[in-house]
Amino acid sequence: MNRRTVVVSGGMLDEEFTLQILKSEETEYIVAADHGLEFLYKHGIKPDYIVGDFDSTSDEIVNYYKTETKVPIRQFNPVKDASDTEIALRLCLNMGRKNIVILGGTGTRIDHVWANVQSLKIAKDAGAEACLMDAHNRIRLLDESSVIRKSEAFGPYFSVFPLDGEIIDFNIIGAKYPLQHHTLMPFDSLCVSNEWEEEEVEITFPVGNVILMETRD
């Protein structure tokens, strides 16, 4: 089993969903990114590593981990060139982690959400699989043709968007709304909220990067 590393960031953290992921036997390693540390502290979950500038985490909690535990901590100046989530992701990659789930990477700050979506390309370029997850969404990056199965789906809907320009010869096979030899453009909403028609949906394209969002209400 390819056990996963979970990054707990400071965005939206549904309590039940987050605890289910963190306590699953599939989760091997936990990295706290700044404000995500408060969730772990509240629920008595000890992370394996802590990173961040801690501008949104109470001094009491940070000092607890510094003085009462042996958890490695990397603290950064708030004036830095990357978000806490990206720093945590790069840490995971440097440790050779290949299966990474980011919790708390979505929420009310759309600028942070979009930065986190774009950071999935960092993992892909490093040969790792990373995704953003919350109680309603799983967001991944595809850089090659893929099959997504209804039995393994996160929710009943899926949407696709090009990350870095138009995608030529884009195809969706086995879905309620199929496509053939389409040019997927970065500024339209054609591929929002599709559904499975068959057990397997095949998404094919010769080159590029496509964001796949599996969603549920």
Side-chain angles (χ1 to χ4, degrees), residues 117 155 177 189 191:
V117 170
Y177 307 110
S189 57
C191 292

Side-chain angles (χ1 to χ4, degrees), residues 92-155:
C92 295
L93 297 172
N94 289 338
M95 292 189 296
R97 301 283 164 171
K98 297 298 185 181
N99 181 5
I100 304 165
V101 173
I102 300 172
L103 304 177
T106 59
T108 57
R109 285 289 302 272
I110 299 300
D111 51 348
H112 283 277
V113 175
W114 184 240
N116 293 335
V117 170
Q118 293 185 114
S119 74
L120 298 177
K121 182 68 163 57
I122 299 170
K124 185 68 73 173
D125 288 346
E129 293 295 329
C131 70
L132 301 171
M133 290 179 67
D134 61 34
H136 300 277
N137 308 278
R138 178 169 65 186
I139 305 171
R140 296 182 279 159
L141 185 66
L142 307 179
D143 64 353
E144 59 185 14
S145 299
S146 301
V147 173
I148 56 175
R149 295 174 175 83
K150 186 175 183 179
S151 59
E152 300 171 356
F154 190 79

Side-chain angles (χ1 to χ4, degrees), residues 4-217:
R4 65 189 169 207
T5 296
V6 177
V7 173
V8 184
S9 195
M12 180 172 61
L13 290 167
D14 177 87
E15 187 171 49
E16 181 179 357
F17 177 80
T18 303
L19 290 175
Q20 179 183 3
I21 296 293
L22 291 174
K23 294 182 177 182
S24 167
E25 63 178 15
E26 295 179 42
T27 298
E28 179 181 42
Y29 200 88
I30 298 172
V31 177
D34 204 290
H35 190 64
L37 184 61
E38 294 204 0
F39 182 93
L40 298 176
Y41 178 83
K42 174 183 176 182
H43 293 281
I45 298 173
K46 184 179 178 181
D48 297 284
Y49 216 110
I50 299 168
V51 299
D53 54 29
F54 307 122
D55 61 347
S56 58
T57 306
S58 75
D59 292 339
E60 177 185 357
I61 291 177
V62 175
N63 289 333
Y64 165 79
Y65 284 98
K66 286 181 176 179
T67 60
E68 302 297 329
T69 77
K70 295 182 180 180
V71 177
I73 299 174
R74 291 183 64 183
Q75 185 164 359
F76 294 82
N77 190 311
V79 182
K80 59 189 188 305
D81 296 328
S83 68
D84 294 313
T85 305
E86 181 183 330
I87 289 171
L89 176 61
R90 290 186 182 275
L91 171 72
C92 295
L93 297 172
N94 289 338
M95 292 189 296
R97 301 283 164 171
K98 297 298 185 181
N99 181 5
I100 304 165
V101 173
I102 300 172
L103 304 177
T106 59
T108 57
R109 285 289 302 272
I110 299 300
D111 51 348
H112 283 277
V113 175
W114 184 240
N116 293 335
V117 170
Q118 293 185 114
S119 74
L120 298 177
K121 182 68 163 57
I122 299 170
K124 185 68 73 173
D125 288 346
E129 293 295 329
C131 70
L132 301 171
M133 290 179 67
D134 61 34
H136 300 277
N137 308 278
R138 178 169 65 186
I139 305 171
R140 296 182 279 159
L141 185 66
L142 307 179
D143 64 353
E144 59 185 14
S145 299
S146 301
V147 173
I148 56 175
R149 295 174 175 83
K150 186 175 183 179
S151 59
E152 300 171 356
F154 190 79
Y157 311 108
F158 70 91
S159 302
V160 290
F161 308 93
L163 179 63
D164 51 3
E166 65 182 44
I167 306 293
I168 62 170
D169 196 18
F170 183 80
N171 302 276
I172 301 177
I173 304 164
K176 183 176 181 179
Y177 307 110
L179 279 177
Q180 289 187 350
H181 308 298
H182 178 72
T183 298
L184 186 62
M185 303 298 290
F187 47 76
D188 66 43
S189 57
L190 175 66
C191 292
V192 171
S193 196
N194 209 333
E195 300 176 44
W196 277 261
E197 187 73 19
E198 301 177 13
E199 167 59 24
E200 293 186 347
V201 166
E202 187 176 5
I203 299 173
T204 68
F205 51 98
V207 65
N209 294 279
V210 172
I211 299 166
L212 170 66
M213 298 186 179
E214 298 170 76
T215 57
R216 58 197 186 200
D217 292 326

